[in-house]
Amino acid sequence: MSELINIAEIFGENVFDDATMQERLPKKVYKDLKKMIEEGKELDLATADVIAHEMKEWAIEKGATHYTHWFQPLTGTTAEKHDSFISAPMESGKVLMSFSGKELIKGEPDASSFPSGGLRATFEARGYTAWDCTSPAFVRKDAAGATLCIPTAFCSYTGEALDQKTPLLRSMEAINEQSLRLIRLFGNNTAKKVTPSVGAEQEYFLVDAKKFHERKDLIYTGRTLFGAMPPKGQELDDHYFGTIRQRIASFMKDVNEELWKMGVTAKTQHNEVAPAQHELAPIYAKANVAVDHNQIIMQTLKRVASEHGMKCLLHEKPFAGVNGSGKHNNWSLTTDEGKNLLDPGRTPHENIQFLLVLTCILKAVDEHAALLRESAADPGNDHRLGANEAPPAIVSVFLGEQLEDVLEQLITTGEATHSLNTGKLQTGVRTLPDLAKDTSDRNRTSPFAFTGNKFEFRMVGSRDSVAASNIVLNTIVADAFAQACDILEKAEDFEKAVHDLIKQYATEHYRIVFNGNGYADEWIQEAARRGLPNIRSMVDAIPALVTEDTISLFEKYHVFTRAELESRAEIKYENYAKAINIEARTMIDMASKQIIPAIIRYTKTLADTVNSVREAGADFSVQAQLLGQISELLAETKKALDVLVKETETAAAMEEGEAQARFYHDTVFPAMEALRAPVDSLEMIVDKEAWPMPSYGDLMFEV
Ligand code: ADP
Ligand code: MG
């Protein structure tokens, strides 16, 4: 058996965390840094120098040779440039290790090749990375040795955000400020900070590395572009399950160990619905830390999979017809006193605050459903959202029976006097019912579900960063809180005003509540009747980023400027066009160089067989019929290939932007589907030995 792990001993051993800083930094420096972390105060260079020095010493003890400003440009992944600690050699020929405060707090990567959507052209060519001291630095060990990773934000010279981190931090400010206003109204004068808590559950597939390398589509696009369904699909066979388990288990053990060392609280792991699909969830953390940790998780899954002779597929839909992968984004609001604002609480007083928070969230999600949907848009996610998969593209909120009943009472009678399950009756006119915690059940089809003391946003794609969704959530809820506070702070009779407001919000936004089956066709019609947007593709979703409503919302809370939003929309159109272009070209390549040649060879074998069987005087009808069928599909394949070649050329020649992205979506994508169909039919009837790549069955069941 492999070595056993002592979690307590290794957890966070490669993190420059609070305990390490307290132990290693001079008292005053530690205090200054804490102040900066807690209050957002600026750090002076002298203090930064001391921190940098200690950080370097610590990292070198861990074996680090390099440091990197680790940042999250708008590519969906992370970027880093490594610098070694060595400084110019001394006369003696020896080198010194150096790392200054300036190098810690600010970096200047060659930013020109990161997407900026025209921002840098208009402002300034350079980009800067700035230390996000609220997310701890860590040492990462891999084939490159050990590297000190410093989480940073990435901005242009004039401060425009070129990354995910900057707006996320800004949105955390916004929700903090408005949440504090709200809890003050309910008499909390002691809490100093409210932080969004996020727990992101990561789904992924594992396939054998050797088979992966035999598929160009997986190599270039992360998903299969051809592939007939195996005889066995979703229903997992116990035998297969048994055989994969040890290999996967030893992979998971290593993943956990690596993550724990980097301070990532890997908590739950299990097999998912589809064969070869799994999930990993950490314990929730502050939103910006959770976003960083999710990136670390994705990187670690990939790296460790390679070490185990496997490949980790993070794509939202690696296999057509098989369950896709997402990332459930669990979200709540926590005060620095440890209170969760989404916890219904024990007393009616807490319940009132909770019901206000809840109805504000309903209002926020209802009013900005399209924006929330957009936050989860990426090319891969088009295969989940709006494609009869979990969850549907329509944003709705699942509350569970008890909460829904409370809202119904509020709406119909103006007051809620009892709650289901507890059956407890409250007397006072304006009193709201006692709510029991964790009464919602597990509606798996809802894109936005209340699960006891948090909301779970399930639209985010498995490969995407969770930053965008949390930026939107934080900001729209901050705005709803602000609007409520504007009214309530002026109210003469607070109790009556808050009661009326809860009722008003519940009534006005009840249409967003849906507890039924989100996959059902009836829901699509019902949602249309309710006027809820059903945005089926990324290209259709992007415009929500730049409506006047969105722009004024984000500008009001200083999360995004108009220019930043416009640049983001532009980048998204480009990303979409690029993704589909790569997929189309990969299909063209595979069809022209692998599939068609293989079929041609196979038809030759068949034709030879037909001839020799005929010469031998036997019945050759089966061979002839098969040859006919295959030749027909081959002709169809060639025709579809020619169309795809032509449309892809047209698309690639277009100017970058919305029209090009739409063309890829409306014309190129259907041409890809048209090519795939005859090829998948061929795969079903052609000799397996003749097929030029591993099948779905090979990939999913033989890990
Ligand atoms: P499930 O989705 O099956 O209900 P859990 O409730 O255990 O699973 O948690 C899923 C994720 O939600 C985990 O990452 C967990 O840490 C996180 N989570 C739990 N409570 C909260 C909370 N109050 N706020 C944000 N995330 C939370
Ligand atoms: Mg979940």
Side-chain angles (χ1 to χ4, degrees), residues 223-224 315-325 380 383-384 389:
R223 75 176 180 106
T224 54
H315 194 282
E316 285 76 12
K317 194 74 176 174
F319 305 101
V322 176
N323 202 54
S325 297
H383 299 275
R384 293 173 70 227
E389 259 236 30

Side-chain angles (χ1 to χ4, degrees), residues 196-212:
S197 301
V198 169
E201 304 163 53
Q202 178 71 47
E203 291 182 332
Y204 60 94
F205 279 85
L206 288 172
V207 296
D208 183 77
K210 197 170 156 293
K211 297 197 182 85
F212 172 95

Side-chain angles (χ1 to χ4, degrees), residues 65-84:
T65 52
H66 289 68
Y67 71 91
T68 178
H69 274 205
W70 188 70
F71 61 105
Q72 300 172 29
L74 299 169
T75 52
T77 54
T78 58
E80 46 195 71
K81 177 184 138 209
H82 296 187
D83 281 297
S84 74

